[in-house]
Amino acid sequence: MAQKTQQHTFGGSIPENYDRYLGPLLMEPYAKDLARRLPATGLRDVLELACGTGILTRHLRERLAPETKLVATDVSEAMLKIAKSKPGFSKPVEWKAVDATSLPFKDSSFDVVVSQFGIMFFPDKEKALKEIFRVLRPGGKFIFNVWDKLEFNDFPQVAQETIKPIFDGNPPEFYGIPFGYHDHYVLRTEMRKAGFVDVALATIEIKVQAAARDAAMGFVQGNPIADEIEKLGKSLAEVTDQVEQAMASGLGKKICKGRTRAIVIGGRKPGQLSKSAAPKAEPAKEAPRPKTKAAASKPPTTRVRKATAKPKPKPGVKRKA
């Protein structure tokens, strides 16, 4: 049976902190990887689910041809507000507040559906997968990623291990959601149950770095664990300070460095896209693709590709060692 998850809201100051701190640290490296998995030309309509603050959206819009329609959606109006306010989109994006379990689109409307670290938050994954399958054209693909186990993701693991003992046996449970949907058998089975074929998985590992304060702000105040901490009667500022100290102690005093690991999943709706929607050959000057190819185009694999992402420093932000 597909997992069902409590709906979490990204409201208040969470979207801003998410975009400012978790965006450069975690989302940017994997957004670049996921966007490269879509053909640059030949697509008519692309749907992004759980677009958040538009980090993957920007990379998709830069990657896709001008004539490709891109619809970016999220259930959180607060996250969409930040996404829509960002300057620099060179091509149009259609933004919509959408529940992934009830998509307001006609059958066979999109060539590709893509989602970055979103499916873990869908309250009814089985229903969402059926909806995604429904809105895809025959031959269309669903490509998405999820986080691997917490033990393979250094920054959130340090945050979890620091926060847990503060609450005397009743710790916040939020981290269990983004880092709790990684079983390869479950992922493959639920995709096939929804009707997808050629389902394949690839494991990606990327090394990242950030100042301890930035990482602590992201993992304490940039996601819904912030609401849980306050509901349990603890000070966000104090918990953030403790996580910052743990990050500096465990991952580096000046700059914290750690590994992240995710799983990319791809599947295809049976049939074949019409010729007008079939991907064309890549331009000759296209940047080289990662060694791990598109998840839906090769047999299942657990090979790990390693890379390093160095987020750009933010001017005017004071960082502590």
Side-chain angles (χ1 to χ4, degrees):
M1 181 179 292
Q3 295 184 11
K4 293 189 178 181
T5 304
Q6 177 186 351
Q7 185 77 54
H8 280 79
T9 57
F10 285 71
S13 61
I14 291 174
E16 182 180 353
N17 289 328
Y18 168 96
D19 189 67
R20 182 176 181 180
Y21 299 110
L22 292 183
L25 177 61
L26 295 183
M27 305 305 160
E28 280 286 345
Y30 286 98
K32 292 177 182 178
D33 172 80
L34 206 57
R36 290 191 190 107
R37 294 171 184 274
L38 275 67
T41 59
L43 298 176
R44 288 173 290 179
D45 308 272
V46 173
L47 172 64
E48 181 188 359
L49 298 177
C51 71
T53 58
I55 294 169
L56 173 60
T57 315
R58 181 183 299 280
H59 290 284
L60 289 174
R61 189 65 281 182
E62 292 174 353
R63 168 101 175 142
L64 298 171
E67 63 270 18
T68 301
K69 179 181 178 181
L70 176 60
V71 181
T73 70
D74 199 280
V75 72
S76 169
E77 292 276 11
M79 297 286 269
L80 281 174
K81 184 178 180 180
I82 290 181
K84 291 187 287 187
S85 69
K86 289 182 175 180
F89 280 95
S90 58
K91 303 170 221 173
V93 176
E94 184 177 327
W95 306 95
K96 285 183 178 292
V98 164
D99 181 347
T101 63
S102 182
L103 297 176
F105 306 109
K106 295 180 180 179
D107 296 358
S108 304
S109 295
F110 297 94
D111 297 331
V112 173
V113 177
V114 61
S115 184
Q116 170 160 277
F117 302 127
I119 194 170
M120 303 93 76
F121 299 102
F122 296 167
D124 189 329
K125 296 173 180 59
E126 181 177 348
K127 190 174 180 181
L129 286 171
K130 288 180 178 178
E131 279 289 273
I132 293 166
F133 186 87
R134 177 184 66 80
V135 302
L136 277 170
R137 295 187 176 107
K141 294 181 179 180
F142 177 36
I143 303 171
F144 64 103
N145 56 13
V146 299
W147 292 114
D148 207 336
K149 296 178 182 179
L150 190 67
E151 64 192 72
F152 298 129
N153 289 276
D154 295 333
F155 284 88
Q157 184 178 29
V158 170
Q160 171 83 329
E161 291 175 350
T162 305
I163 293 171
K164 189 174 181 179
I166 298 174
F167 291 86
D168 300 323
N170 185 34
E173 300 178 352
F174 173 75
Y175 285 154
I177 296 175
F179 297 97
Y181 190 58
H182 48 68
D183 186 281
H184 286 213
Y185 175 79
V186 171
L187 289 164
R188 190 178 291 109
T189 299
E190 292 186 356
M191 284 284 285
R192 289 173 175 167
K193 185 178 179 181
F196 290 98
V197 297
D198 299 334
V199 178
L201 293 79
T203 300
I204 307 296
E205 185 173 293
I206 300 177
K207 293 181 180 180
V208 298
Q209 62 184 44
R213 185 64 182 180
D214 286 0
M217 285 292 295
F219 284 103
V220 178
Q221 300 188 39
N223 63 81
I225 201 172
D227 295 332
E228 294 186 55
I229 290 171
E230 291 188 316
K231 287 178 181 178
L232 292 169
K234 299 295 182 179
S235 164
L236 269 181
E238 292 179 3
V239 173
T240 303
D241 288 343
Q242 292 184 52
V243 171
E244 178 186 359
Q245 294 171 14
M247 293 282 187
S249 176
L251 300 176
K253 291 185 177 180
K254 291 186 177 181
I255 293 293
C256 298
K257 298 180 180 180
R259 61 178 175 170
T260 62
R261 185 180 290 187
I263 305 164
V264 181
I265 306 96
R268 180 177 61 85
K269 185 173 182 176
Q272 186 173 358
L273 287 175
S274 63
K275 290 183 179 180
S276 62
K280 300 177 183 177
E282 295 289 340
K285 295 183 179 180
E286 188 71 32
R289 290 175 174 269
K291 292 182 180 180
T292 305
K293 297 181 181 178
S297 64
K298 63 181 295 183
T301 177
T302 56
R303 183 175 58 181
V304 174
R305 178 177 66 81
K306 297 184 179 181
T308 301
K310 298 182 179 180
K312 297 179 180 179
K314 306 176 189 66
V317 179
K318 186 177 180 181
R319 293 175 174 169
K320 297 183 179 180

